[in-house]
Each structure stands twice: as C-alpha cells, then as structure tokens.
Amino acid sequence: MKDLRRYLALKYIQYLVLSSSNAVSTFLGLLGSLYALIILQSAKVSSKSTAVLISSLAKADVLVTVSIVSEMLVQTLGVSILSPVFTSALLQNLLSANTHISCLLLSCVAFEAYLITFFPTDSRHFRTVKNARLTSRIIWILVIAECALFQADDLLKASSTSALTHSPYALWFHISSMAAALLRSLSYILGILLRIVNVYIYYKIFFSMSNRSMLKTK
C-alpha cells in the first residue's frame, strides 16, 4: 500500500538519512508508527513477510514513547522510581535500542525488496512470514542484550571507580567496560555500513525499474 511505502520512506529519512534525530522527526515517526499499526490491522493488508517486518518496526517506537513519557514525568513531576543515574542511562539506552532495531529492520525490508526485484521466484521460499518473524525476534533479542550491557556499563561507570578497582568485581568491571566500548564501536561502524548498503540496494532497484519501464514504452 502507498501509505506503508510513505511510512517506510519516513523511517528511512529518520534513521538512515538524518545524522541525528530531532523533535520533529521523532514526533512524525511516532505518528507514522501508530498509523502503520492501524493499517496493518486492516483486512485489506495481506499477512506477508514485509508486513511482519514493518509491524515490528512500528512497535519499536514503543521504546521511544516509554523514554519520552518517563523523561516528562521526571522533569515535570519529579517522579523517579529508580535512582537518577539509572533512569538517565536507561532512557538514553532505550533510544539507542530503538535506533538500532529500526535500522536493522529497515535494512531487512530493503534486502527483501532487492530479492523481490531481482530474484522473485528463487527467493520465494526464503521470503516467508515465519522467517520474517524469526528475524524480527533475533534482532529484538540481540539489541535488548546490547541495551542491557550498555546499562550495566553506565551504572559501573557512575559508581566509585576506586572502590570497584579494589573490589572482587574489578575483573568484571574491566571486562564489561571493554565489551561495551567494543560494541559501541561496532554499532557505529555497522550503522555506516547499513547506510551504504541501503543506498546501493535502492539505487539498483530504482535503475532496474527505470530500465523496465523504458523497455515497455518501446
């Protein structure tokens, strides 16, 4: 459907074009996700692998909603169930998790579009609802695990470094810090690679469709 294509275009701009999110793009993204979820509940939308990926993409904005609402409660009402350090780190890590999940799912949608365009028959057994759901679950599990590691690292950094150095958990502190630093670097590199791959995929699709339309007009 055209509305879902517009939603995907909005998400590509939000996560893979803009260097950093802003209030306008975030607000439009949340509205788009809500609208996409409503559309996907319609009987007119067939249950295909692409629809599963888009649904998971829209649900990822729940993390943004939780982060924004929690921050508003803390700032306006002073409501904070957990410690300020834990809350601040958690809200930031939720936003990072949303970005990573969205980028990976958008890349999956792009890859599926590539398969549909160039290998429609050969890839049919691969482009199934079951595989799409499995892929979405794996992405969510990996990113949530990443978020948990970042959260633990932020809490350890906020603690007394000298106390941790002389404690029995000093080795765990160093391992966690090194793992988190390595993962942040890998996430940054992966983000750049995903941008390049997505541009290449849609470049190939665009010119393939253009060539086909030119052949039809001849």
Side-chain angles (χ1 to χ4, degrees), residues 139-159:
I139 289 174
W140 273 87
I141 291 171
L142 290 177
V143 175
I144 293 301
E146 175 196 53
C147 180
L149 178 61
F150 288 164
Q151 184 70 18
D153 181 59
D154 290 335
L155 289 177
L156 289 173
K157 287 180 179 178
S159 303

Side-chain angles (χ1 to χ4, degrees), residues 4 34-45 51 55 59:
L4 291 179
L34 179 61
Y35 184 57
L37 288 174
I38 295 173
I39 293 176
L40 290 170
Q41 298 301 318
S42 173
K44 296 180 180 179
V45 179
S55 176
K59 291 174 183 176

Side-chain angles (χ1 to χ4, degrees), residues 44-135:
K44 296 180 180 179
V45 179
S46 58
S47 179
K48 294 183 179 180
S49 54
T50 305
V52 172
L53 294 173
I54 294 175
S55 176
S56 186
L57 173 66
K59 291 174 183 176
D61 273 355
V62 172
L63 300 175
V64 179
T65 304
V66 171
S67 179
I68 293 175
V69 172
S70 300
E71 188 172 2
M72 289 175 60
L73 290 175
V74 171
Q75 291 183 354
T76 58
L77 303 178
V79 178
S80 182
I81 301 175
L82 303 171
S83 65
V85 174
F86 183 90
T87 303
S88 176
L90 180 61
L91 297 183
Q92 184 60 43
N93 288 326
L94 286 177
L95 293 177
S96 298
N98 167 262
T99 301
H100 295 170
I101 290 172
S102 299
C103 289
L104 290 170
L105 288 172
L106 286 170
S107 299
C108 290
V109 173
F111 180 64
E112 187 173 46
Y114 180 85
L115 293 178
I116 292 172
T117 304
F118 296 101
F119 309 100
T121 305
D122 296 336
S123 64
R124 188 171 297 171
H125 68 283
F126 178 76
R127 296 181 288 104
T128 62
V129 172
K130 180 180 178 180
N131 287 339
R133 287 174 178 166
L134 178 61
T135 302

Side-chain angles (χ1 to χ4, degrees), residues 159-172:
S159 303
S160 176
T161 306
S162 59
L164 286 171
T165 304
H166 297 88
S167 70
Y169 302 102
L171 180 60
W172 161 249

Side-chain angles (χ1 to χ4, degrees), residues 208-218:
S208 174
M209 299 299 290
S210 299
N211 292 333
R212 290 178 186 178
S213 61
M214 289 177 62
L215 290 174
K216 289 181 180 179
T217 55
K218 289 183 179 180

